[in-house]
DNA sequence: TCCCATTTGTACGTATGTATG
DNA sequence: CCATACATACGTACAAATGGG
């Protein structure tokens, strides 16, 4: 009994042997044909793989292999370690999206500005060795920076600000927490709900001023990243 | 469209209003009747709640409510905030257990001592307002401290060391990560597997020496604790 | 022990919606 | 606009676990 578990195990074995991250599985109908079951049974089997973070569904395209299954118990060994102080100025970040937006309640509090005011939102993703590690949402209080910031594509945001707008940012506060990932974080970081994310919120002031220029929230994969504090 | 999401949200709201942890939801057939949908659609809706850790399925019995959903959005409001620098010397800790033990591989590395050597292990629990917040495992490298340390019952371990053994400890390194909780942590912190824990590992040296005197691992409930770093 | 009603779990089938290329 | 492939929703049937008689 429990055909879907057998199929799930078979698919996992297939993935390990014949597939590489980024490959697509055969269509569900084809798998149903091969295993001589209904398509729903194949879907149930793939549900297991999705829940274990091996596969990602893409409507209209197919089911993509994410990574080799042995990778997701990686933490105990040698793993990527970030430095807490360099958060927000990571050099190897790619911009996922950027826009002008109206501030909502909590962001207004963090940035210490009035509601409804426009701010700049930039979302970046840090990927190393082809694996997404960390997604950062930057919120910048001054909409006049938008014409320049909209051209920011990659690298260190703080360095970009220094070079293009001659702005020096200074860390005002850092707060650390952990969470189950949001759906968006699951997608961007290629994880499932069972992998917690570490969340770091920072507030940065303009040097020589008390005004908060930037508020950032970074979420890192807890299975791949550990932060160190310098003493 | 996406009826199951609407039903899922409705059920979550119902749970918040009318159910307590340990209660069972109405049978799936009954919910299907109420929402005028097929039972599978109700199941799909409950799948969402299960994935978010609100509900547990029990075959033959029913679907049990695990906890109130607002608990895991508690983080944004006024909540307990710890200071990262005071970790390991929290004044309001109770000793759960203490013992002499032989070091295992990883602990030997952290303490920088030979395997098989005896060390002191003390486990403490920080409970405030009747709610367990944080469990800390202290590992001390010198077994000669055991006759004194075994009398440690509560308060700040670092203060106890200073007063009874005249030892001054100095933070050497701090590392932060996040994890799904272990079974023991679930028990001590009164949470389930869906609430991540933040983990802080510290190494402390004897002042004026390079030797690691203490290695500690603290695990805090991520739904109740946020850490701040002093700049 | 056995039976039975209830309730969840699995598997099948069919149809239609939606995203991709 | 079309074919392909995944997403959602309906329906039916039976298996498996639970708890009571």
């Amino acid at each position: 009994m429990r055909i879907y578990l057998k199929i799930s195990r078979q698919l996992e074995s297939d993935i390990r042997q014949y597939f590489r991250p980024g490959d697509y599985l055969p269509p569900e109908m084809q798998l149903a044909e091969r295993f001589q079951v209904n398509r729903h049974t194949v879907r149930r089997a793939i549900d297991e793989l999705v829940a274990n973070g091996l596969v990602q569904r893409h409507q209209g395209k197919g089911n993509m292999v994410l990574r080799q299954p042995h990778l997701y118990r990686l933490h105990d060994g040698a793993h990527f370690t970030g430095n807490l102080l360099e958060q927000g100025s990571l050099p190897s970040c790619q911009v996922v999206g950027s826009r002008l937006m109206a501030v909502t309640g909590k962001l207004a509090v963090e940035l210490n500005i009035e509601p409804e005011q426009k701010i700049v939102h930039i979302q970046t993703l840090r990927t190393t060795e082809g694996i997404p590690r960390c997604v950062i949402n930057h919120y910048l209080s001054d909409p006049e920076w938008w014409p320049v910031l909209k051209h920011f594509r990659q690298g260190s945001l703080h360095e970009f600000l220094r070079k293009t707008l001659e702005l020096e940012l200074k860390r005002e506060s850092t707060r650390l927490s952990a969470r189950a990932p949001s759906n968006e974080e699951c997608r961007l970081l290629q994880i499932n709900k069972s992998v917690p994310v570490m969340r770091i919120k920072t507030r940065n002031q303009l040097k020589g001023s008390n005004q908060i220029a930037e508020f950032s929230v970074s979420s890192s994969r807890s299975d791949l990243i550990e932060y160190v504090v310098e003493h």
Side-chain angles (χ1 to χ4, degrees), chain A residues 64-82:
Chain A
M64 191 181 75
V65 172
L66 280 182
R67 56 178 193 278
Q68 305 308 334
H70 58 85
L71 255 175
Y72 63 104
R73 284 196 207 100
L74 201 135
H75 192 271
D76 290 324
H79 54 267
F80 184 81
T81 297

Side-chain angles (χ1 to χ4, degrees), chain A residues 85 87-89 111 138-142 145 149 156-163 165-173 202-216:
Chain A
L85 296 181
Q87 271 305 112
S89 56
L111 289 167
H138 299 271
Y139 303 95
L140 297 118
S141 58
D142 196 333
W145 300 339
L149 280 172
S156 159
L157 177 61
H158 286 199
E159 191 149 329
F160 185 84
L161 284 170
R162 190 166 55 243
K163 288 189 175 165
L165 291 167
E166 296 183 353
L167 297 171
E168 289 281 342
L169 293 189
K170 181 177 164 298
R171 183 79 57 106
E172 187 256 352
S173 72
T202 72
R203 300 207 300 172
N204 292 284
Q205 297 172 328
L206 279 183
K207 213 167 233 176
S209 140
N210 282 330
Q211 201 199 330
I212 304 297
E214 184 216 5
F215 172 63
S216 77

